[in-house]
């Protein structure tokens, strides 16, 4: 039977609008101002009324409706988004003197006598995002990515309660504004999440920043919605239909639209006042509910910002001042030994739990036994620990004056604490290693977890608890055995249901077609990290079938040095490794070979652009960058080419003085399309054929 379509009348439309406005207002009171004016139940009843009306009139649901925060369909993958203006990074400073130098540098560059006015803000330790608002409505949000292109994470961003789906008032909202901000995970949420993950045997997030990033990069926005994230806005990228004179004005405008803006923003003049502000913010650091790792100092006037410009990837008009790592003292309760994937024995201190920078810690790494002996850390010692950004802190020193005689030094182990095999000292004399190889369960577990890791074979669902069972029950002897696991074997394991088993088998099946670089990385060849694995895959795409290239071939490859070459060579000479590789291939692992590399004709060339060009400057920069070129802001002896448009100004003159080749936009175009005649242009001036 045909369903009767409800026909909305004017009253319904008005009521929907009123409800959305009211809920948006209360969201702002609650999430941004922290000053709710109605009870939770009154708020819920507004939301329920809205949901009911929208269910009845689905055609009236709008993009910015408060009911539209969590989408129900997971994405296949994130699509790419170009930032209309690049998202820059900041150069760092660590001392007051560097702030003074920065201020003086700017005044010199601006030929200024008086003092400069700055805005000082906390530097939030999270993930940079860009939010596009059109006519005051949120239309898209993306990650920073490489600064020019990021990923569309709109679905995930919409789940963050402090992100306005629309401005509080859309009167006078600009046609478009790209708001820049930072997504952070509050410290209490971070601890809760890690406790949950520990209970479920998932790897822990090292710090709130990683946790925020991990939560945002979920294809299923429902997972993001389950994590409490927060968003602070601190700037504007591209904007149209509005103009600002100062950074202060930008921040105030963002706040009045309903964005969350830090309340610790200070407008001050002169470097001394800036330094004082940094101290004020640093003193607040331990009271904030989220992590900050420094301050950001920005020239307030946008006109002066524009005059100062940028150098490579960071603006000249702003700088980050990074705080020192935080220290605490605590007691060492025990020192245990961990055996890693490569057999290295690492001492780990178990400490009385202590809070440091809002996070509770109870374990600390001591990089190796030499470090332990050198610092003379004993069980029972009082120690100073330091946490830079990660949850696992470092022991800086013991406090021998606090000893009472009951402290015990840790003897150097002679046998592997896991398998009992002989322990060998590396030629460098620093690292102790278990000699049992993959017959040591600890090394085998580490190897399998590494192989299954996200950046290797990406086998989701193969957590440490499961790996432990598989190894301890002797189900798996090497990584290739993963590809003969059956539903029956998996279903017989403790606390592992059929549904999880099926999911795991699907992930294992999918991993057969991972890129070659990921497989090479997953094999855990010593000294071959993710990047070098990609280099090897690019240069030796047939390495699995043909076996090792010669040492000479390896060493002739860019980025591969003697130590890495030796290690790759040895890996592919070892019978046991070759057997595992054949077994992998026989069981259907068929890695995807890398695409032939696109030529980067301008690799290592430095360009400066000046004057008015017919194409948008960002586009030109992007294309140059794609061709491998570096783009900087000022002409120096390191510049290879100046691209000059109309009214080029002093840069052209400087380039002429330094004999630097100058290209017109047309010549640049030809260079970028790699016309052979213009290969000439790539030659140093003296070598060019000037008759052409
Ligand atoms: S301004 C060109 N302001 O720091 C200006 N950035 O190292 C760059 N960040 O990618 C951005 N808090 O993720 C700015 N108050 C703040 C910030 C901030 C944190 C991050 C941001 C950026 C990185 C630059």
């Amino acid at each position: 039977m045909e369903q009767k379509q409800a026909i909305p009348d004017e009253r319904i439309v008005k009521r929907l609008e009123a409800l959305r406005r009211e809920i948006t207002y209360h969201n702002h009171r609650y999430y941004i101002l922290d000053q709710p004016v109605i009870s939770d139940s009154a708020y819920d009843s507004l939301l329920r009324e809205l949901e009911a009306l929208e269910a009845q009139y689905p055609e009236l649901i709008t993009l910015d409706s408060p009911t539209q925060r969590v989408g129900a369909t997971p994405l296949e993958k994130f699509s790419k988004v170009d930032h209309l203006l690049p998202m820059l990074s900041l150069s760092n400073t660590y001392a007051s003197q560097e702030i003074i130098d920065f201020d003086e540098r700017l005044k010199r560059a601006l030929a200024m006598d008086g003092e400069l006015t700055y805005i000082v803000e906390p530097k939030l330790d999270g993930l940079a995002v860009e939010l596009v608002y059109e006519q005051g409505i949120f239309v898209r949000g993306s990650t920073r990515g490489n600064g020019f292109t990021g990923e569309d994470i709109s679905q995930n961003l919409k789940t963050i309660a402090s992100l306005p789906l629309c401005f509080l008032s859309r009167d006078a909202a600009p046609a478009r504004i790209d708001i820049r901000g930072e997504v952070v995970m509050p410290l209490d949420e971070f601890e809760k999440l890690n406790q949950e993950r520990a209970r479920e045997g998932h790897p822990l997030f090292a710090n709130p920043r990683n946790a925020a990033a991990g939560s945002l990069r979920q294809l299923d926005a429902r997972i993001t919605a389950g994590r409490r994230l927060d968003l602070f806005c601190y700037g504007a990228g591209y904007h149209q239909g509005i103009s600002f004179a100062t950074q202060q004005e930008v921040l105030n405008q963002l706040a009045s639209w309903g964005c969350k803006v830090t309340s610790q923003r200070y407008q001050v003049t002169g470097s001394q006042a800036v330094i004082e502000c940094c101290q004020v913010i640093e003193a607040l650091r331990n009271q904030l509910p989220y992590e900050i790792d420094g301050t950001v100092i920005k020239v307030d006037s946008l006109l002066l910002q524009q005059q100062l410009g940028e150098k490579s990837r960071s603006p000249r008009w702003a700088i980050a001042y990074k705080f020192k790592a935080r220290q605490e003292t605590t007691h060492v309760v025990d020192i245990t030994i961990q055996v890693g994937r490569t057999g290295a024995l690492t001492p780990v201190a178990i400490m009385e739990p202590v809070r440091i920078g809002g996070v509770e810690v109870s374990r600390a790494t001591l990089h190796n036994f030499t470090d332990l002996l050198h610092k003379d850390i004993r069980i029972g010692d009082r120690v100073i620990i330091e946490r830079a950004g990660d949850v696992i802190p470092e022991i800086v020193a013991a406090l021998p004056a606090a000893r009472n005689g009951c402290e015990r030094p840790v003897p150097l182990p002679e046998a592997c604490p896991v398998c009992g095999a002989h322990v060998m000292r590396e030629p460098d004399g620093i690292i102790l290693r278990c000699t049992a190889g993959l017959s040591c369960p600890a090394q085998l577990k580490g190897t399998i977890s590494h192989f299954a890791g996200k950046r290797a074979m990406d086998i989701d669902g193969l957590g440490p608890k499961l790996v432990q069972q598989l190894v301890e029950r002797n189900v798996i002897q090497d990584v290739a055995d993963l590809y003969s696991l059956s539903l029956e074997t998996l279903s017989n394991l403790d606390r592992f249901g059929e549904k999880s088993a099926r999911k795991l088998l699907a992930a294992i099946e999918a991993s057969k077609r991972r890129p070659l670089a990921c497989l090479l990385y997953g094999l855990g060849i010593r000294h071959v990290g993710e990047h070098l694995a990609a280099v090897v895959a690019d240069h030796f795409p047939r390495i699995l079938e043909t076996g090792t290239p010669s040492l000479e071939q390896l060493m002739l490859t860019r980025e591969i040095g003697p130590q890495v070459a030796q290690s790759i060579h040895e890996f592919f000479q070892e019978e046991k490794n070759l057997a595992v590789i054949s077994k992998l291939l026989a069981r259907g692992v068929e890695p995807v070979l890398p695409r032939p590399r696109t030529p980067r004709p301008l690799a290592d060339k430095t360009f400066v652009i000046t004057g008015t060009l017919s194409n948008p400057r960002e586009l030109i920069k992007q294309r140059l960058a794609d061709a491998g070129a570096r783009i900087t802001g000022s002409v120096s002896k390191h510049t290879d080419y100046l691209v000059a448009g109309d009214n080029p100004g002093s840069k052209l003159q400087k380039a002429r003085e330094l004999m630097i080749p100058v290209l017109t936009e047309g010549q640049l175009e030809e260079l970028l399309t790699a016309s052979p005649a213009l290969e000439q242009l790539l030659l140093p001036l003296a070598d060019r054929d000037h008759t052409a």
Side-chain angles (χ1 to χ4, degrees), residues 560-581:
I560 298 186
Q563 189 189 33
V564 176
Q566 186 68 39
S567 155
I568 297 173
H569 194 66
E570 273 169 18
F571 185 91
F572 284 96
Q573 296 277 299
E574 169 60 52
E575 284 299 329
K576 283 189 201 153
N577 295 335
L578 297 180
V580 171
I581 291 174

Side-chain angles (χ1 to χ4, degrees), residues 196-494:
E196 232 171 73
R197 290 177 72 85
R199 266 199 308 279
E200 289 164 10
H202 294 305
L204 302 189
F205 287 115
N207 52 47
R209 178 178 7 94
N210 290 2
S215 307
L216 270 186
R217 290 208 33 131
Q218 294 288 339
L219 291 167
D220 187 348
R222 285 169 297 188
I223 300 179
T224 318
R227 315 249 174 101
R228 191 164 50 83
L229 296 170
D230 209 345
L231 165 73
F232 285 87
C233 297
Y234 54 65
Y238 176 81
H239 50 278
Q240 182 196 341
I242 190 166
S243 63
F244 304 101
T246 60
Q247 165 69 5
Q248 173 88 316
E249 229 178 85
V250 173
L251 293 179
N252 292 344
Q253 181 60 266
L254 295 179
S256 72
W257 281 330
C259 299
K260 197 164 189 171
V261 175
T262 174
S263 48
Q264 275 90 47
R265 49 186 200 267
Y266 303 97
Q267 185 189 43
V268 291
T269 300
S271 55
Q272 276 316 316
V274 168
I275 293 168
E276 279 161 30
C277 273
C278 293
Q279 286 159 353
V280 168
I281 296 177
E282 184 160 11
L284 274 171
R285 184 183 190 192
N286 286 340
Q287 289 156 38
L288 295 177
Y290 43 84
E291 187 100 278
I292 62 173
D293 59 349
T295 60
V296 184
I297 303 160
K298 305 174 184 173
V299 169
D300 191 28
S301 152
L302 301 194
L303 188 68
L304 294 182
Q305 287 188 5
Q306 211 184 353
Q307 283 177 26
L308 287 161
E310 63 205 52
K311 51 169 197 294
S312 59
R313 290 279 175 102
S314 49
R316 280 208 190 76
W317 46 265
I319 205 159
Y321 169 75
K322 299 288 279 273
F323 298 148
K324 278 176 220 58
R326 279 177 288 217
Q327 296 194 334
E328 269 305 330
T329 66
T330 183
H331 262 105
V332 174
V333 181
D334 196 6
I335 293 179
T336 60
I337 301 171
Q338 230 171 34
V339 183
R341 157 171 81 84
T342 62
L345 269 48
T346 313
V348 176
I350 311 295
M351 307 172 303
E352 259 166 34
V354 57
R355 293 192 73 79
I356 171 164
V359 175
E360 189 177 278
V361 298
S362 54
R363 291 158 71 86
T365 43
L366 290 147
H367 302 286
N368 48 57
F369 277 91
T370 311
D371 188 34
L372 177 80
L373 294 181
H374 179 71
K375 289 179 176 162
D376 186 21
I377 292 158
R378 308 177 187 180
I379 299 171
D381 260 346
R382 192 148 195 95
V383 290
I384 302 175
I385 58 168
E386 181 174 289
R387 187 168 85 86
D390 289 358
V391 166
I392 308 278
E394 190 171 337
I395 298 191
V396 180
L399 296 169
R403 285 183 182 151
N404 61 12
C406 300
E407 296 75 18
R408 280 180 297 126
V410 186
L412 272 189
E414 283 171 10
C416 169
V418 176
C419 72
H422 176 62
V423 164
M424 180 192 78
R425 195 181 271 268
E426 289 272 284
D428 62 7
I430 294 176
I431 294 182
L432 296 179
R433 217 176 275 282
C434 160
T435 51
L438 291 190
S439 61
C440 168
Q443 292 191 50
L444 181 58
K445 281 182 218 165
T447 302
I448 294 168
S449 292
H450 173 79
F451 182 81
K454 201 146 203 67
R455 292 174 302 169
M457 298 302 266
D458 192 19
I459 304 179
D460 202 20
L462 195 62
K465 290 253 159 74
L466 183 58
V467 172
Q468 182 166 352
Q469 283 197 61
L470 292 172
V471 169
E472 281 168 9
R473 297 182 180 208
N474 237 344
V475 180
I476 296 192
Q477 269 100 42
D478 59 43
V479 293
D481 287 345
L482 285 172
Y483 295 91
S484 51
L485 284 176
S486 68
L487 189 62
E488 201 194 339
T489 323
L490 287 174
S491 307
N492 280 333
L493 297 174
D494 293 342

Side-chain angles (χ1 to χ4, degrees), residues 88-90 121-124 128 144 182 234 296 298 315 317:
L88 303 171
S89 49
L90 293 168
E121 306 164 20
K123 184 169 193 297
L124 300 143
R144 175 176 183 277
E182 192 91 352
Y234 54 65
V296 184
K298 305 174 184 173
W317 46 265

